[in-house]
Amino acid sequence: MLSGCRRALPAALRLAVRGWAGGGGRRRVSTSWSPVGAAFDAKQQRSRLTGQSTGLFGVPELSSPEGFQEAQEKALQETEQLVQKACTTPPGPQIVMIFDQLSDALCRVADLADFVKIAHPDFAFREAAEETCRNIGTMVEKLNTNIELCQSLKQLLADKEVMDSLDPETRQVAELFMFDFEISGIHLDEEKRKRAVDLNVKILDLCNQFLIGAHLPNKIDKQILPEHIRYNFAVEGNYIQITGLHADCSDDLVREAAYKIFLYPNAEQLRCLEELLTSRNHLAQLVGYNTFAHRALQGTMARTPEKVMQFLETLSDRLFQRTLKDFEMMEGMKMKLNPQNSKLMPWDHPYYSGVLRAERYNIEPSLYCPFFSLGACMEGLNFLFNQLLGISLYAEQTEKGELWCEDVRKLAVVHENEGLLGYIYCDFYQRADKPHQDCHFTIRGGRLRKDGEYQLPVVVLMLSLPHSTKNSPTLLTPGMMENLFHEMGHAMHSMLGRTRYQHVTGTRCPTDFAEVPSILMEYFASDYRVVNQFARHFQTGQSLPKSMVSRLCESKKICAAADMQLQVFYAVLDQLYHGEHPLKRSTTEILKETQEKFYGLPYVPKTAWQLRFSHLVGYGAKYYSYLMSRAIASMVWKQCFVQNPFDRAMGERYRREMLAHGGGKEPMLMVQGD
């Protein structure tokens, strides 16, 4: 029932003068708003420090970790009332509205807690949020197997006359709620339903455990490593701590050591993965599916694991010869730089593909960084959204207690006619204990409330950018700039997916469609006409020369086949792990076999990369989504924006036909333009 829970400046200045027509009549621009670029390239105006704390995200209860208990209890009380209401309401559109209110009551707390448990600097907040996630998750699974609740929805779906009278979005949402019941085992007897709930809760716990283990560093006695490379790693007493793969390091030995140590198998993490995969399979078979992949893919564009594997194998076949050529080029470069040890290994791929790009096109990142200050990039996004969609971004001053870290920025997203569309919290900077990953979190979904007002969506974008220094603002590499555009694509999907129901708001749509808007933004980030609008040297104001942008775009074609082949390998591995059980071999043996067949570089003995594959949690059986979404995004770019990336008519069409629907319309209908 609740699978939706997750996880142009001149125009803008004119807007500030005239106000706008919003949801509740004409409003004026808030006096606490300021231009977006200044918020990121200058020292931010801090949150208001006086008065009572407003609580995280403006939720009063969350002024302290203990507030999670209060927020959770309120949500569960509201849930109880709504369940009773749903079970006594006759078939009609109001049933769908009540179900969505129920979903919203739980998601408002669960989604917020899902972010806080990984990103808040205070352990007490993280711990309280994790407990809340577990408790709300348990309630969700109980509701998904509640016979009486399901019966009220069944009566609606069985009433042809009423169903025919519903608008397409309401029908779709009603069917999605029923789909959640079905995949949770609503058709089972009471004992099996209880077992399904227990399995879901166990899977939730295993997912959390696996994610923690995937990011833990590995330690090794420092005497084992040659003295001349030890300085590359963090030293703690007699131990060296390896926190990642050091993929960009120019020293082959450092990359090799990091790869072998960081990926050395951990028995506890291996047990956790095996138990997670087994539990997912047990759940799938309990509720009537052959495998977990069959269950996970039923609501996607691909529909079945057979179609996913067909897509991946076809793509792999097409890439094969080009990938071999890419590996030959990388090996040639390694031989040139390290003739004593020229065999290409997995730890070489990211580094030598980068060396080839840099050598052929002279795209040393340090040459580009001065042109990509974070403020300039944000103004570039602002200009693009204004041209395409009539939208402007404004920095807003925050209240005391609203933020979890003082360097977080809050953006208001404003349409020139429709007014305030929602808020984006930008948690962009590195800090201790913050996961080193770029991602988008829905904190509150948009929906039409009973009083006729629209509940504005709230999201967080999380990046890991360097802080500004005494001499310069935060400067982005081309890769960081592209990642910023990618994540902002998710945010605009959330802002513009203005559905009646929060269950299908924004990115709450099939996973293999959810990545389309973000990948499409990568095309804009690679187009000179777009980059030229904002790329200015932070000291001189000089524009980034067109030749440098052209070289950067051309360089992305170098080793592109090998990069995509690596993604195919990951996606196939994900399918095999979630396919037929019991697995015929260990997860490491399956990794070795799949790597040799679908990637081509040799497996390294005594490594277990799968134990670091954190996407197995959020994208279980759906990792292929990036590749499928890339194919669709390429089609949209060519059909709509390649001629003119600022085409307002195409921007409005893209919003109307794709972004606006969230998950309230079948993706295939959106892709086909029906």
Side-chain angles (χ1 to χ4, degrees):
M1 197 199 89
L2 296 165
S3 63
C5 282
R6 296 287 176 249
R7 253 153 337 146
L9 201 54
L13 292 175
R14 288 197 300 274
L15 179 66
V17 174
R18 69 167 191 265
W20 73 83
R26 290 184 69 80
R27 311 180 202 168
R28 301 202 65 78
V29 170
S30 166
T31 54
S32 70
W33 288 353
S34 60
V36 67
F40 291 92
D41 273 358
K43 293 297 180 189
Q44 185 192 21
Q45 184 179 2
R46 296 294 174 212
S47 302
R48 293 184 178 92
L49 297 176
T50 57
Q52 194 173 348
S53 174
T54 187
L56 288 173
F57 297 102
V59 178
E61 297 91 334
L62 300 184
S63 298
S64 68
E66 293 72 30
F68 270 105
Q69 180 70 25
E70 190 182 340
Q72 173 190 303
E73 284 170 4
K74 274 189 183 177
L76 295 178
Q77 284 170 10
E78 189 180 347
T79 297
E80 200 175 318
Q81 294 164 3
L82 288 166
V83 168
Q84 289 173 359
K85 193 175 177 183
C87 293
T88 54
T89 301
Q94 60 270 39
I95 284 283
V96 183
M97 189 65 78
I98 294 166
F99 266 74
D100 193 62
Q101 285 176 271
L102 187 54
S103 174
D104 185 60
L106 293 169
C107 284
R108 270 203 322 268
V109 180
D111 288 340
L112 193 157
D114 202 40
F115 168 73
V116 171
K117 76 177 184 184
I118 70 159
H120 202 289
D122 186 334
F123 177 75
F125 266 102
R126 296 201 302 271
E127 194 174 43
E130 187 165 338
E131 180 64 17
T132 293
C133 281
R134 191 176 194 282
N135 293 336
I136 298 271
T138 302
M139 174 53 73
V140 167
E141 299 311 330
K142 286 179 178 174
L143 291 175
N144 282 342
T145 52
N146 184 314
I147 295 285
E148 195 179 355
L149 189 59
C150 179
Q151 199 56 40
S152 67
L153 189 61
K154 263 188 180 168
Q155 287 172 358
L156 169 65
L157 292 167
D159 193 323
K160 188 176 184 308
E161 188 178 337
V162 175
M163 285 298 288
D164 287 345
S165 72
L166 301 180
D167 63 275
E169 186 184 339
T170 302
R171 276 202 305 274
Q172 167 86 347
V173 172
E175 287 164 1
L176 285 172
F177 277 126
M178 181 52 73
F179 174 69
D180 289 337
F181 279 121
E182 289 167 353
I183 67 170
S184 297
I186 196 70
H187 52 285
L188 303 174
D189 61 40
E190 187 177 354
E191 186 193 335
K192 287 182 178 174
R193 286 201 311 278
K194 184 179 182 309
R195 205 188 318 160
V197 170
D198 291 343
L199 270 170
N200 267 307
V201 173
K202 180 182 181 183
I203 288 166
L204 193 65
D205 288 341
L206 287 166
C207 285
N208 284 333
Q209 189 183 329
F210 184 79
L211 278 178
I212 291 167
H215 295 108
L216 281 178
N218 270 348
K219 286 184 178 179
I220 190 170
D221 189 314
K222 69 180 183 183
Q223 299 303 324
I224 293 174
L225 288 185
E227 193 173 346
H228 71 280
I229 68 167
R230 289 178 201 162
Y231 73 91
N232 290 278
F233 308 106
V235 179
E236 284 188 359
N238 292 324
Y239 292 94
I240 281 177
Q241 191 163 268
I242 314 287
T243 57
L245 294 174
H246 290 252
D248 296 328
C249 184
S250 60
D251 190 322
D252 289 355
L253 191 57
V254 170
R255 293 195 314 279
E256 179 180 353
Y259 190 95
K260 288 179 174 177
I261 298 165
F262 189 63
L263 299 183
Y264 190 80
N266 174 291
E268 184 60 25
Q269 182 76 342
L270 191 57
R271 182 205 60 76
C272 179
L273 175 60
E274 289 167 352
E275 200 170 344
L276 173 60
L277 297 177
T278 301
S279 299
R280 281 176 167 173
N281 184 67
H282 283 163
L283 175 65
Q285 294 195 329
L286 180 64
V287 299
Y289 293 89
N290 289 340
T291 68
F292 182 79
H294 283 92
R295 179 181 183 267
L297 295 170
Q298 193 175 332
T300 62
M301 287 193 290
R303 303 282 184 198
T304 68
E306 290 79 16
K307 284 189 178 169
V308 171
M309 283 302 293
Q310 184 182 5
F311 165 68
L312 294 173
E313 285 170 348
T314 301
L315 181 56
S316 186
D317 288 344
R318 289 180 179 173
L319 289 169
F320 183 69
Q321 289 302 328
R322 287 163 52 204
T323 299
L324 285 181
K325 286 182 181 173
D326 287 352
F327 286 154
E328 284 171 14
M329 286 195 301
M330 289 182 221
E331 195 156 52
M333 179 56 73
K334 186 175 183 182
M335 187 176 291
K336 182 175 163 186
L337 297 179
N338 186 1
Q340 284 80 32
N341 188 10
S342 61
K343 183 176 169 61
L344 194 69
M345 298 299 288
W347 54 80
D348 294 322
H349 177 162
Y351 176 71
Y352 283 108
S353 58
V355 170
L356 282 165
R357 292 183 189 112
E359 185 186 70
R360 292 201 180 183
Y361 292 99
N362 190 23
I363 54 153
E364 172 58 42
S366 62
L367 299 174
Y368 286 83
C369 291
F371 295 90
F372 292 141
S373 76
L374 178 55
C377 293
M378 293 303 296
E379 283 295 356
L381 285 161
N382 193 31
F383 179 82
L384 177 64
F385 294 147
N386 194 272
Q387 295 296 304
L388 278 181
L389 300 159
I391 283 169
S392 297
L393 306 173
Y394 292 94
E396 180 168 278
Q397 188 177 20
T398 52
E399 300 295 329
K400 181 183 177 184
E402 185 179 348
L403 304 179
W404 52 101
C405 186
E406 66 175 10
D407 59 18
V408 173
R409 312 289 195 257
K410 180 184 181 183
L411 300 182
V413 181
V414 184
H415 189 272
E416 61 191 13
N417 298 318
E418 298 163 37
L420 184 60
L421 298 182
Y423 291 105
I424 303 169
Y425 288 84
C426 301
D427 188 354
F428 282 174
Y429 301 101
Q430 298 167 350
R431 66 174 172 271
D433 294 331
K434 178 183 174 183
H436 192 80
Q437 58 193 76
D438 300 341
C439 39
H440 161 276
F441 294 84
T442 298
I443 300 299
R444 183 178 71 194
R447 70 181 179 107
L448 189 63
R449 297 200 310 243
K450 271 197 309 186
D451 60 8
E453 286 288 311
Y454 198 79
Q455 175 174 292
L456 297 178
V458 176
V459 305
V460 173
L461 295 188
M462 192 165 82
L463 304 175
S464 295
L465 303 178
H467 285 271
S468 58
T469 67
K470 185 180 176 183
N471 299 318
S472 74
T474 291
L475 302 178
L476 278 60
T477 64
M480 290 174 185
M481 184 269 284
E482 189 175 275
N483 286 350
L484 171 64
F485 271 62
H486 176 104
E487 297 305 334
M488 195 59 82
H490 284 309
M492 296 313 293
H493 196 182
S494 291
M495 296 297 114
L496 294 172
R498 294 184 83 72
T499 52
R500 186 179 312 175
Y501 306 101
Q502 77 83 37
H503 193 66
V504 290
T505 185
T507 56
R508 287 180 180 152
C509 59
T511 310
D512 50 6
F513 182 74
E515 293 295 332
V516 172
S518 52
I519 291 172
L520 180 64
M521 284 297 293
E522 295 176 21
Y523 284 90
F524 287 100
S526 299
D527 189 288
Y528 176 73
R529 294 163 295 182
V530 176
V531 175
N532 188 47
Q533 293 296 327
F534 68 88
R536 300 282 183 278
H537 196 287
F538 77 97
Q539 289 170 317
T540 67
Q542 175 198 349
S543 296
L544 183 64
K546 186 174 182 178
S547 60
M548 286 180 70
V549 180
S550 300
R551 292 202 306 271
L552 186 63
C553 295
E554 281 300 308
S555 75
K556 290 179 182 178
K557 297 173 186 174
I558 297 288
C559 301
D563 293 346
M564 193 173 286
Q565 190 77 56
L566 182 60
Q567 295 301 313
V568 172
F569 156 47
Y570 295 161
V572 172
L573 189 67
D574 176 43
Q575 288 298 305
L576 294 175
Y577 283 168
H578 291 103
E580 275 190 40
H581 273 247
L583 297 174
K584 294 181 176 63
R585 286 170 294 286
S586 73
T587 57
T588 302
E589 287 167 335
I590 292 169
L591 169 80
K592 178 180 185 293
E593 188 177 288
T594 309
Q595 181 168 330
E596 287 165 358
K597 182 177 178 183
F598 284 95
Y599 182 33
L601 295 186
Y603 164 76
V604 179
K606 295 183 183 176
T607 63
W609 177 84
Q610 76 275 20
L611 304 184
R612 302 287 186 179
F613 192 11
S614 58
H615 281 82
L616 288 173
V617 170
Y619 283 78
K622 297 178 185 175
Y623 190 79
Y624 75 93
S625 298
Y626 286 102
L627 292 164
M628 186 167 281
S629 291
R630 189 163 292 283
I632 296 168
S634 171
M635 181 187 73
V636 173
W637 173 257
K638 286 171 184 169
Q639 288 185 11
C640 301
F641 301 112
V642 72
Q643 294 302 319
N644 177 10
F646 304 112
D647 189 323
R648 180 64 178 266
M650 283 299 179
E652 294 291 354
R653 180 187 166 198
Y654 172 55
R655 177 185 179 182
R656 185 175 63 249
E657 293 183 9
M658 294 185 87
L659 295 180
H661 299 289
K665 185 175 180 181
E666 281 283 341
M668 288 310 293
L669 297 178
M670 291 190 269
V671 171
Q672 292 157 6
D674 292 345

